[in-house]
Amino acid sequence: MKIGIIGSGNVGGALAQQWVKAGHTVLIGAQFPLSDKNISLATQIGEDRFAVIENAVKQSDVILIATPPTAILEIIEKMGDVSGKVIIDATNSIGKIPEPYQTVYHALSDKTDAEIVKCFNTTGFENMLNPIYNGEAIDMFMAGESDEAKTIALQLSTDAGFGSCIDFGKSDKVELLEKFALSWINIAIMQGHGRNLAFKVVRR
Ligand SMILES: NC(=O)c1ccc[n+]([C@@H]2O[C@H](COP(=O)([O-])OP(=O)(O)OC[C@H]3O[C@@H](n4cnc5c(N)ncnc54)[C@H](OP(=O)(O)O)[C@@H]3O)[C@@H](O)[C@H]2O)c1
């Protein structure tokens, strides 16, 4: 797939590395493509994978948003026409609501014609770099209206090494998925259990 990643920090950087390894064409769309902050990622994935947001979006079929949620309205302006593209929202608006919207997913739904899915927001970036615990892959989770976007999210979560990508439901479950992320943050950080823990759905 041709994937544009907007936000090359913890989450964008981790998924960029995983998707490059899986053979995808990854282009980072950044405000300042070869800034000092991006040098270590550029060393991992190559300097030629950095562009300005407009160009990264034009050249990609799938876009990952991994920025502070409050940047989304500015990013939507810069992305231009995204109709027919899939956008994956990996952000969490907890404490940083992208007003007047509750979440980035809602802003994207209102302002673009893209196929949108919320995914890759429910666990720490360390688990995106390495989703294997005791030989087993942990799970990813997604929510949204678009079946097309969910098919892509499922494939990309498998390609990043996750076990299943469990469907939380439609857009009415997007905020629940952010609360699920907050549950991970609560256990890992607030309750002090550490970031090396993860969720997996088991069945019998
Ligand atoms: N950290 C985690 O473990 C984790 C896990 C799941 C979900 N999330 C969510 O994922 C999102 C990103 O988190 P992160 O930890 O990866 O953050 P981060 O390391 O701070 O990276 C944020 C990235 O967004 C870019 N950015 C900031 N403002 C921008 C703008 N106006 N336009 C374009 N790019 C902009 C930054 O670029 P510059 O460096 O140039 O400013 C940076 O590359 C957040 O919404 C967070 O809630 C985080």
Side-chain angles (χ1 to χ4, degrees), residues 110-150:
D110 189 42
K111 294 265 185 193
T112 78
D113 290 327
E115 302 292 323
I116 306 155
V117 62
K118 182 144 203 102
C119 191
F120 300 106
N121 69 307
T122 55
T123 198
F125 71 92
E126 300 90 339
N127 289 331
M128 301 180 198
L129 273 173
N130 178 11
I132 305 298
Y133 279 71
N134 307 319
E136 275 201 72
I138 58 170
D139 291 325
M140 186 38 73
F141 303 86
M142 62 182 168
E145 294 293 325
S146 168
D147 290 337
E148 183 188 341
K150 282 180 173 173

Side-chain angles (χ1 to χ4, degrees), residues 6-14 28-33 35 37-38 53 65-72 74-75 78 89-94 96 104 118-128 178 181 184-185 189 195:
I6 304 181
S8 51
N10 297 315
V11 171
I28 303 281
Q31 304 180 92
F32 314 106
S35 67
K37 280 191 192 170
N38 283 332
I53 292 171
I65 307 285
T67 64
T70 43
I72 192 60
E74 181 190 330
I75 290 168
K78 286 189 183 163
D89 166 21
T91 69
N92 283 311
S93 305
I94 298 143
K96 289 182 193 163
V104 163
K118 182 144 203 102
C119 191
F120 300 106
N121 69 307
T122 55
T123 198
F125 71 92
E126 300 90 339
N127 289 331
M128 301 180 198
E178 293 210 351
W184 183 90
I185 293 166
I189 300 165
R195 297 178 64 97

Side-chain angles (χ1 to χ4, degrees), residues 16-85:
Q17 290 176 67
Q18 296 293 62
W19 292 335
V20 165
K21 264 191 247 160
H24 294 293
T25 303
V26 171
L27 201 50
I28 303 281
Q31 304 180 92
F32 314 106
L34 285 179
S35 67
D36 288 351
K37 280 191 192 170
N38 283 332
I39 284 176
S40 118
L41 182 61
T43 311
Q44 297 290 327
I45 66 171
E47 278 187 20
D48 53 340
R49 295 185 190 272
F50 288 77
V52 293
I53 292 171
E54 295 84 332
N55 290 346
V57 169
K58 258 188 213 143
Q59 292 176 52
S60 303
D61 303 315
V62 179
I63 317 292
L64 176 83
I65 307 285
T67 64
T70 43
I72 192 60
L73 294 179
E74 181 190 330
I75 290 168
I76 287 171
E77 287 274 310
K78 286 189 183 163
M79 286 197 301
D81 183 13
V82 287
S83 46
K85 296 186 194 274

